[in-house]
Amino acid sequence: SDLGLVSAVFEHKFRGVEAGCSPGLQLLQVRDFEDGLASWMACFEHLAPETGCTELARSALVTYHFTSILLRESLSDILMAAGTAYSWGRAVTPQRAQDAFLPLVSTKPVGQDAYRHALKILSLCLEDGDVTANADGARRVLHPLCLTYNTFIAVLVLWAYALGLSRMHSANSGHPQPAQSLWVVEAGKLKKIGRASCRERVYGE
């Protein structure tokens, strides 16, 4: 089942490293999970059309796409880089936000597969919502909180992917890279400050 695959991926991501698995073994595990996800999707696509249109089916698909993202990317680091409070149990601090942000624009950019899965999640979460009318008679779409939160996470994945693209575009066009700056959280928002400003804040210069 998709929930079984999610549990296995979580085990791999958060306990496999602690267990001291070698990079080669971790790569083999990732490929096994990818094969498992592909098999799950093949079975899902053979469901009767009426079954595939239910809310349960939509939830299963959202879970499938999130699992595919989690297998290759760190949702926790993406949330932290965006300054989301208490990212997966970790309170956001300037240093943690900075540590999570830098790899997204340098050594570990979000991949295109994650981008595609995030688009699928957005499509699933935003379609066929319940429609109601407000006081002005205008119609608006209401979505359950679970879909709203899933949409939020998918948007952050797209944001993280765009960060890597912007850095790649700058490098390919020959534009000089700006001096490294520090990202800090102020009043609940992530802001970028220069090193000079950082020294002033830290040392009171």
Side-chain angles (χ1 to χ4, degrees):
S1 70
D2 60 331
L3 293 180
L5 282 169
V6 172
S7 298
V9 170
F10 266 93
E11 184 78 14
H12 164 75
K13 292 286 286 190
F14 298 110
R15 295 186 183 178
V17 175
E18 296 177 2
C21 296
S22 67
L25 180 57
Q26 290 187 36
L27 181 59
L28 288 175
Q29 290 175 333
V30 167
R31 289 178 178 170
D32 286 342
F33 288 132
E34 288 175 339
D35 290 343
L37 286 167
S39 296
W40 181 91
M41 178 54 73
C43 293
F44 181 87
E45 289 175 341
H46 283 87
L47 290 174
E50 60 273 14
T51 304
C53 294
T54 63
E55 280 300 309
L56 183 60
R58 173 158 68 170
S59 176
L61 280 174
V62 169
T63 301
Y64 161 81
H65 290 296
F66 267 131
T67 305
S68 298
I69 293 173
L70 183 61
L71 187 57
R72 290 287 187 179
E73 313 294 343
S74 172
L75 290 179
S76 178
D77 286 345
I78 291 173
L79 289 169
M80 184 64 72
T84 302
Y86 301 105
S87 166
W88 288 37
R90 297 183 300 160
V92 176
T93 65
Q95 188 59 52
R96 284 177 175 173
Q98 175 76 350
D99 291 345
F101 181 88
L102 289 178
L104 296 178
V105 295
S106 55
T107 58
K108 296 181 180 179
V110 171
Q112 193 172 59
D113 282 345
Y115 162 78
R116 291 171 178 163
H117 286 295
L119 287 180
K120 292 289 188 181
I121 292 169
L122 285 180
S123 175
L124 288 164
C125 291
L126 296 179
E127 69 183 10
D128 300 327
D130 295 327
V131 180
T132 187
N134 59 22
D136 300 327
R139 294 168 70 79
R140 59 193 179 92
V141 177
L142 297 178
H143 297 285
L145 179 60
C146 62
L147 295 183
T148 302
Y149 185 70
N150 286 333
T151 301
F152 167 69
I153 300 298
V155 168
L156 289 187
V157 173
L158 295 177
W159 166 77
Y161 176 71
L163 289 177
L165 283 184
S166 65
R167 176 56 63 95
M168 185 187 311
H169 175 73
S170 297
N172 290 340
S173 61
H175 295 158
Q177 297 296 328
Q180 190 180 68
S181 55
L182 179 69
W183 289 80
V184 299
V185 179
E186 290 184 355
K189 296 181 178 179
L190 194 65
K191 296 182 179 180
K192 182 167 64 173
I193 62 174
R195 287 298 181 185
S197 299
C198 175
R199 287 195 298 272
E200 291 175 5
R201 292 173 188 227
V202 175
Y203 301 109
E205 296 177 358

